[in-house]
């Protein structure tokens, strides 16, 4: 899910875009560095920090050692590890799409399992 908030002239904008994982993958496959460069130069907000591979490795190790974790518990651990909610959510999304991780529908929350 992507939420866009801001203003167009005097009009407030609050837009939520929901897409399936396949749609996000298809969109990402059509992006190239050339198409991203103009958007990055027009950005008014902070530039996203580069991925920290050591942090990513630690997040993967956390789940690998646990074997499995429910989504909310894993998110809390990732937020503490990464130093904030936004960085924790980014790690959770990366884990969701990682080939070494299986996400199952749990009773109350998604269950993240390490499958290596």
């Amino acid at each position: 899910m992507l939420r866009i908030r801001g203003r167009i002239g005097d009009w407030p904008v609050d837009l939520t875009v929901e897409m399936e994982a396949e749609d996000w993958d298809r969109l990402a496959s059509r992006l190239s560095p050339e198409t991203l460069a103009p958007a990055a130069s027009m950005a008014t907000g902070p530039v996203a920090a580069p991925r920290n591979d050591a942090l990513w490795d630690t997040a993967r190790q956390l789940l690998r050692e646990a074997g499995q974790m429910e989504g909310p518990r894993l998110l809390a651990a990732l937020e503490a590890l990464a130093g904030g909610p936004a960085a924790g959510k980014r790690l959770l999304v990366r884990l969701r799409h990682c080939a070494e991780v299986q996400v199952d529908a749990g009773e109350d929350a998604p269950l993240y399992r390490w499958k290596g």
Side-chain angles (χ1 to χ4, degrees):
M1 180 167 51
L2 173 69
R3 185 170 185 191
I4 301 168
R5 290 185 286 182
R7 299 188 75 75
I8 298 176
D10 294 334
W11 296 18
V13 174
D14 191 352
L15 175 67
T16 301
V17 179
E18 293 184 24
M19 295 174 24
E20 298 296 322
E22 299 83 25
D23 297 324
W24 286 110
D25 292 340
R26 200 170 36 242
L27 177 63
S29 72
R30 294 178 185 229
L31 297 177
S32 66
E34 295 82 25
T35 59
L36 294 175
S41 66
M42 295 185 326
T44 58
V47 176
R51 288 187 174 164
N52 182 341
D53 287 335
L55 186 59
W56 170 239
D57 292 340
T58 305
R60 290 171 54 236
Q61 181 180 353
L62 174 80
L63 185 58
R64 181 174 46 246
E65 289 175 358
Q68 67 181 29
M69 291 178 83
E70 284 192 345
R73 187 170 147 238
L74 178 57
L75 178 58
L78 293 173
E79 286 176 354
L81 175 70
K89 287 178 184 177
R90 282 192 295 272
L91 286 171
L92 188 68
V93 169
R94 285 184 75 184
L95 283 172
R96 177 179 288 276
H97 296 287
C98 177
E100 299 168 316
V101 176
Q102 178 178 337
V103 182
D104 297 322
E107 191 172 314
D108 295 320
L111 186 62
Y112 289 75
R113 298 178 196 265
W114 183 261
K115 63 180 189 175

